[in-house]
Amino acid sequence: MNFLKTTMLTTVAAAAVATAANAADCPIKVGILHSLSGTMAISETTLKDTMLMLVDEQNAKGGVLGCELEAVVVDPASDWPLFAEKARELLTVHEVDVIFGNWTSVSRKSVLPVIEELNGLLFYPVQYEGEESSKNVFYTGAAPNQQAIPATDYFLDELGVEKFALLGTDYVYPRTTNNILESYLKGKGIAAQDIFVNYTPFGHSDWSKIVADVVAMGADGKKVGVISTINGDANIGFYKELAAAGISADDIPVVAFSVGEEELSGLDTSNLVGHLAAWNYFQSAESEANTAFIEAWKARMGEDRVTNDPMEAHFIGFNMWVNAAEAAGSTDVDAVRDAMYGQEFPNLTGGTAVMLPNHHLAKPVLIGEIQEDGQFDIISQTEEVPGDAWTDFLAESAVLKSDWKDLGCGMYNTETNSCVQLKSNY
């Protein structure tokens, strides 16, 4: 009897210690690293709001591992070096367990050496140029083969575009993406002189000469199309200049990679009807999951607030992180990373997102046509396409693969069968 009593007391004491230890790890802190001011606030503020909604919804379900989630919001203010400082603050001062954030690639590359040094974990929700694979980042936005390449194929095959204007903001994402697209187009038989590439600063406002140059490309009667990697509020001036020049989508179609419902909500879209965007999600997607997501968003934020692709990427990434932490029994970065591989979660377009060993998702590719109400009519949709970290259309990248699960390498050379050491040259 005394043995039984002693055993019971020991068990109770052990449980109390375990509970106390668990309580000491509470709350679980979720870092939110999005610009709330500056040129990128037009796009990123909504992602902060999305994360706050997701955290609140998860807390209503009981949190994670018995702990409440606490959102820690910082504002890197569209200042790329400040992103690194704020990431360090999140990890060292606030001691967050995970970070959801960034929009531009230059901001992500600013953050990379910090999270790699401190072994943080970043979920990055925006389409990007690829050509990167960090064990500390899960890329839940589109790689080029999930957006840029399919959109280019649509221009070639469906619209008969013969000349291409590649217009981008002057930073790493547009430059690398356009480098890939130039190589791809030349492989498709498009002559170098039929490809016009132009870069402008963040916040650029005077588009008259650039639009005139694009119009002049069609003087020989060949069909001209614009592939836009213009980011932030510079898009407002670009589309206004198109309208002022009397250019319609029938004349010169534009397909944008960084313009979604949020950006269009601040524009007069009457002159934009027919222009295109390529994403992996649109608010107009028809599925029960999307209906529920939109209803929850509007109930929280108001009827005039729209949803968009990076919001869906955060929705998928956050829920995968929750499930991985629960499966690992911990929010430890290494344990969560191991539990992330093969994670599946319903996307908002009716399919299933899968996390691959290269830290990218399998995602459908959608092309939408701008409507007068600022929404998109989905005119093309694929099955889930696995994201590639390294493009097949640059010689130096075609031989590389990323596999953090089995090879433990983000830059594996398939010709030499060796892991190339990634350098933090971000």
Side-chain angles (χ1 to χ4, degrees):
M1 188 69 174
N2 288 338
F3 172 77
L4 179 60
K5 186 180 293 185
T6 301
T7 302
M8 290 176 64
L9 288 172
T10 301
T11 302
V12 170
V17 170
T19 301
N22 188 53
D25 294 330
C26 295
I28 292 171
K29 294 185 178 182
V30 177
I32 301 175
L33 184 65
H34 281 302
S35 294
L36 310 180
S37 56
T39 187
M40 292 309 301
I42 186 176
S43 298
E44 292 194 72
T45 300
T46 284
L47 297 187
K48 177 266 296 182
D49 293 336
T50 301
M51 286 306 306
L52 293 178
M53 181 180 79
L54 293 171
V55 166
D56 286 348
E57 288 180 344
Q58 190 61 38
N59 281 335
K61 299 174 188 175
V64 175
L65 299 171
C67 287
E68 185 177 62
L69 299 180
E70 177 186 321
V72 181
V73 179
V74 294
D75 178 17
S78 306
D79 181 327
W80 318 137
L82 188 57
F83 268 88
E85 294 179 30
K86 290 297 183 180
R88 187 174 295 276
E89 176 187 327
L90 286 172
L91 291 169
T92 61
V93 178
H94 301 289
E95 298 183 335
V96 300
D97 296 274
V98 63
I99 297 173
F100 291 83
N102 298 84
W103 182 292
T104 67
S105 285
V106 66
S107 72
R108 188 192 69 256
K109 293 209 180 268
S110 175
V111 164
L112 270 176
V114 174
I115 61 170
E116 290 180 343
E117 172 198 342
L118 300 173
N119 197 31
L121 190 63
L122 172 69
F123 282 77
Y124 177 63
V126 184
Q127 88 292 345
Y128 84 121
E129 70 281 358
E131 307 306 287
E132 177 183 298
S133 183
S134 170
K135 73 173 185 177
N136 295 88
V137 181
F138 284 97
Y139 306 83
T140 54
N145 73 305
Q146 296 172 305
Q147 185 188 40
I149 297 298
T152 302
D153 284 340
Y154 189 86
F155 263 29
L156 289 166
D157 300 336
E158 301 298 327
L159 300 185
V161 172
E162 301 168 281
K163 288 188 170 185
F164 288 78
L166 310 182
L167 307 183
T169 302
D170 192 6
Y171 74 106
V172 61
Y173 161 61
R175 284 189 174 274
T176 305
T177 298
N178 288 339
N179 191 26
I180 292 168
L181 290 181
E182 281 192 84
S183 175
Y184 184 71
L185 287 168
K186 289 172 183 176
K188 289 286 187 177
I190 302 298
Q193 62 266 27
D194 290 336
I195 304 172
F196 169 62
V197 184
N198 185 267
Y199 299 104
T200 47
F202 279 96
H204 186 72
S205 58
D206 183 3
W207 290 93
S208 56
K209 184 181 185 306
I210 296 168
V211 168
D213 288 342
V214 171
V215 172
M217 291 178 70
D220 59 359
K222 288 187 176 181
K223 181 74 170 178
V224 178
V226 174
I227 294 182
S228 170
T229 48
I230 301 164
N231 265 256
D233 52 14
N235 278 292
I236 297 173
F238 170 62
Y239 283 106
K240 281 185 176 179
E241 184 60 35
L242 281 179
I247 304 301
S248 72
D250 291 333
D251 302 321
I252 300 177
V254 177
V255 62
F257 300 160
S258 295
V259 173
E261 293 87 345
E262 183 70 14
E263 289 74 21
L264 292 182
S265 66
L267 296 177
D268 174 6
T269 57
S270 58
N271 292 311
L272 276 63
V273 172
H275 288 300
L276 309 172
W279 292 99
N280 309 114
Y281 164 87
F282 289 110
Q283 179 175 308
S284 54
E286 295 181 0
S287 73
E288 290 184 8
N290 192 36
T291 298
F293 183 74
I294 293 169
E295 287 178 354
W297 175 247
K298 289 183 177 293
R300 181 185 179 96
M301 303 302 300
E303 279 298 317
D304 60 332
R305 291 292 294 272
V306 295
T307 62
N308 63 22
D309 179 284
M311 290 173 64
E312 190 216 24
H314 263 340
F315 168 78
I316 294 169
F318 176 80
N319 281 288
M320 283 187 170
W321 171 78
V322 167
N323 291 343
E326 294 282 2
S330 170
T331 57
D332 174 77
V333 168
D334 295 331
V336 169
R337 182 190 300 111
D338 289 343
M340 279 292 295
Y341 303 124
Q343 281 287 337
E344 297 185 3
F345 198 81
N347 62 34
L348 297 179
T349 57
T352 301
V354 182
M355 183 56 71
L356 308 173
N358 65 2
H359 286 204
H360 290 70
L361 290 175
K363 298 164 72 84
V365 182
L366 283 63
I367 294 176
E369 187 176 275
I370 298 174
Q371 306 296 292
E372 282 198 35
D373 62 358
Q375 289 294 311
F376 290 86
D377 178 26
I378 299 171
I379 57 177
S380 175
Q381 180 170 345
T382 71
E383 297 296 318
E384 277 72 10
V385 176
D388 288 338
W390 304 99
T391 185
D392 294 334
F393 305 109
L394 298 176
E396 63 272 22
S397 299
V399 299
L400 300 177
K401 69 179 290 187
S402 169
D403 185 340
W404 290 106
K405 179 176 182 288
D406 296 321
L407 298 177
C409 180
M411 201 172 181
Y412 187 83
N413 190 307
T414 57
E415 290 185 338
T416 63
N417 293 321
S418 62
C419 184
V420 180
Q421 183 63 42
L422 279 165
K423 297 179 181 179
S424 290
N425 58 349
Y426 312 116

